[in-house]
Amino acid sequence: MAEQLFGGEVKIKYAVKRDGEGKIPSMNHQIDISGTTIGLPEIGSYLNQLMGKNLELNGNLNMNAQIETDTETPEGGSMTLKGQPHGSFELIIKKATAATAQLVGPDYAMLISKDPILHIDTVIMNAKMKDGKISITDGKIESPGNFTAKFDGEVDFSLRQLGGQFIPSM
């Protein structure tokens, strides 16, 4: 268990099954993640560093995820993905606000606003990951003033290998 990861409590279970049959050794990786009261400000700060974006988020995230992927390691080579990860996850965000800190203009030089304009009571999202896509099967947003919206859809998401690491790309 990783306490205080992004300001919350996160439990991660990892299991690997080795398949010694065949010419190229392969492994099946299973990851179960559950987290409570994960801080969106900390996640926003991490994403800012990772993506070079200016995101200001407030609120808390609860999540459950079960992800699985297969890898193989040729003799004398490095580990590669046999396919894209697959699994399912649920995210619940409570009492969130987001600023419009978006950069616009030809050189991304102008900041529109930093005042929070988006206030959300609850976001619930259930999704499945398969074949390089995240399919949102059930999404719901509830905001002050009895505003409720439901959503679903797909987002391209895959892992690519870069210098011995697996990097997400959307």
Side-chain angles (χ1 to χ4, degrees):
M1 178 170 63
E3 291 186 32
Q4 298 305 312
L5 181 64
F6 293 123
E9 185 176 291
V10 178
K11 295 178 184 177
I12 300 172
K13 293 180 187 176
Y14 174 74
V16 64
K17 295 178 187 174
R18 299 180 191 279
D19 180 7
E21 297 179 22
K23 295 180 182 180
I24 300 175
S26 64
M27 294 186 286
N28 173 267
H29 306 265
Q30 298 174 350
I31 303 169
D32 291 340
I33 303 169
S34 64
T36 57
T37 62
I38 300 166
L40 291 182
E42 290 85 355
I43 292 173
S45 176
Y46 174 75
L47 292 174
N48 289 341
Q49 294 173 1
L50 185 67
M51 300 184 315
K53 303 283 184 189
N54 190 9
L55 301 171
E56 290 191 19
L57 305 171
N58 287 302
N60 286 313
L61 165 71
N62 294 329
M63 68 171 291
N64 287 300
Q66 296 79 38
I67 308 296
E68 192 172 328
T69 192
D70 295 313
T71 60
E72 59 186 14
T73 308
E75 190 174 324
S78 60
M79 183 185 297
T80 59
L81 289 172
K82 286 176 69 175
Q84 291 298 318
H86 54 279
S88 61
F89 57 91
E90 175 188 51
L91 304 176
I92 301 172
I93 299 172
K94 296 280 190 177
K95 302 293 182 196
T97 61
T100 60
Q102 297 179 11
L103 300 173
V104 297
D107 298 320
Y108 299 100
M110 186 174 95
L111 184 63
I112 295 176
S113 169
K114 285 189 146 223
D115 296 327
I117 62 158
L118 181 61
H119 298 273
I120 297 173
D121 285 335
T122 307
V123 175
I124 300 171
M125 185 175 77
N126 291 294
K128 297 193 181 300
M129 180 186 302
K130 187 176 179 182
D131 299 329
K133 294 192 180 301
I134 295 176
S135 299
I136 301 167
T137 56
D138 182 29
K140 183 177 181 181
I141 299 173
E142 297 174 342
S143 291
N146 295 325
F147 172 80
T148 300
K150 294 185 177 189
F151 62 94
D152 58 20
E154 285 190 343
V155 177
D156 289 334
F157 177 88
S158 60
L159 292 179
R160 60 186 171 89
Q161 199 158 356
L162 182 64
Q165 296 181 348
F166 298 110
I167 308 294
S169 62
M170 296 177 91

